[in-house]
């Protein structure tokens, strides 16, 4: 059974984590390291997407 694709925010946060030289799933303050990049991802996506697109992406999850 194929895996469900990760939401765009999570994929972007994981990419930033890797780009920063950090392993995505290493725990940091009790959460996966990639989650610490979500605020940066949100700033970029809000600037790049229309308000409607941003709302849709937010609803898809982390």
């Amino acid at each position: 059974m194929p895996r469900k694709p990760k939401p765009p925010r999570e994929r972007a946060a994981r990419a930033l984590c890797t780009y920063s030289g950090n392993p995505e799933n290493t725990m940091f303050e009790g959460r996966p390291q990639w989650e610490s990049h979500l605020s940066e991802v949100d700033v970029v996506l809000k600037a790049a997407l229309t308000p409607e697109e941003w709302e849709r992406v937010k609803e898809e999850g982390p």
Side-chain angles (χ1 to χ4, degrees), residues 16-53:
L16 278 178
C17 192
T18 300
Y19 180 76
S20 298
N22 299 308
E24 299 171 16
N25 292 317
T26 296
M27 297 304 280
F28 177 72
E29 297 180 355
R31 304 183 77 146
Q33 180 74 33
W34 65 265
E35 288 185 8
S36 67
H37 292 276
L38 282 172
S39 61
E40 297 164 78
V41 166
D42 290 350
V43 168
V44 172
L45 290 178
K46 283 180 191 178
L49 301 173
T50 66
E52 295 81 17
E53 291 170 326

